[in-house]
Short mmCIF file of all heavy atoms in Angstrom, two decimals:
data_model
loop_
_atom_site.label_atom_id
_atom_site.label_comp_id
_atom_site.label_asym_id
_atom_site.label_seq_id
_atom_site.Cartn_x
_atom_site.Cartn_y
_atom_site.Cartn_z
N MET A 7 81.97 75.25 90.56
CA MET A 7 80.82 74.94 89.94
C MET A 7 80.62 75.80 88.73
O MET A 7 80.57 77.10 88.91
CB MET A 7 79.63 75.07 90.95
CG MET A 7 78.26 74.66 90.33
SD MET A 7 76.98 74.78 91.62
CE MET A 7 77.31 73.52 92.71
N ARG A 8 80.38 75.32 87.60
CA ARG A 8 80.16 76.19 86.42
C ARG A 8 78.69 76.84 86.55
O ARG A 8 77.88 76.55 87.23
CB ARG A 8 80.16 75.28 85.14
CG ARG A 8 81.49 74.58 84.82
CD ARG A 8 81.39 74.15 83.32
NE ARG A 8 80.23 73.65 82.95
CZ ARG A 8 79.98 72.26 82.94
NH1 ARG A 8 80.95 71.39 83.25
NH2 ARG A 8 78.93 71.80 82.54
N ASP A 56 62.57 79.79 95.37
CA ASP A 56 61.79 80.00 96.64
C ASP A 56 61.47 81.47 96.78
O ASP A 56 62.38 82.20 96.66
CB ASP A 56 62.45 79.37 97.91
CG ASP A 56 61.52 79.37 99.05
OD1 ASP A 56 61.02 80.34 99.53
OD2 ASP A 56 61.29 78.21 99.51
N SER A 90 61.39 94.69 90.15
CA SER A 90 60.66 93.54 90.45
C SER A 90 59.92 93.64 91.88
O SER A 90 60.54 94.40 92.79
CB SER A 90 61.64 92.33 90.61
OG SER A 90 61.02 91.14 91.10
N ALA A 128 75.71 98.87 94.06
CA ALA A 128 76.38 97.70 94.72
C ALA A 128 75.74 97.66 96.07
O ALA A 128 75.56 96.48 96.53
CB ALA A 128 77.91 98.03 94.63
N ILE A 129 75.73 98.71 96.79
CA ILE A 129 75.19 98.63 98.16
C ILE A 129 73.76 98.08 98.23
O ILE A 129 73.39 97.37 99.08
CB ILE A 129 75.32 100.01 98.82
CG1 ILE A 129 76.68 100.38 99.12
CG2 ILE A 129 74.53 100.04 100.21
CD1 ILE A 129 76.89 101.85 99.62
N VAL A 184 80.26 95.43 109.07
CA VAL A 184 80.51 96.58 108.33
C VAL A 184 80.31 96.35 106.77
O VAL A 184 80.36 95.16 106.40
CB VAL A 184 82.08 97.07 108.58
CG1 VAL A 184 82.34 97.41 109.94
CG2 VAL A 184 82.93 96.01 108.07
N PHE A 190 90.18 100.39 93.50
CA PHE A 190 91.47 100.14 93.03
C PHE A 190 91.68 100.74 91.70
O PHE A 190 90.92 100.38 90.68
CB PHE A 190 91.82 98.63 92.85
CG PHE A 190 91.77 98.00 94.25
CD1 PHE A 190 90.52 97.58 94.88
CD2 PHE A 190 92.97 97.76 95.00
CE1 PHE A 190 90.47 96.99 96.21
CE2 PHE A 190 92.92 97.18 96.22
CZ PHE A 190 91.73 96.77 96.81
N LEU A 226 89.91 90.46 104.47
CA LEU A 226 91.02 91.08 105.20
C LEU A 226 91.69 92.07 104.36
O LEU A 226 91.92 91.90 103.17
CB LEU A 226 92.04 90.00 105.47
CG LEU A 226 91.52 88.80 106.46
CD1 LEU A 226 92.47 87.73 106.56
CD2 LEU A 226 91.25 89.34 107.83
#
Side-chain angles (χ1 to χ4, degrees):
M7 186 180 289
R8 293 199 317 264
D56 191 296
S90 173
I129 290 172
V184 297
F190 293 86
L226 299 172

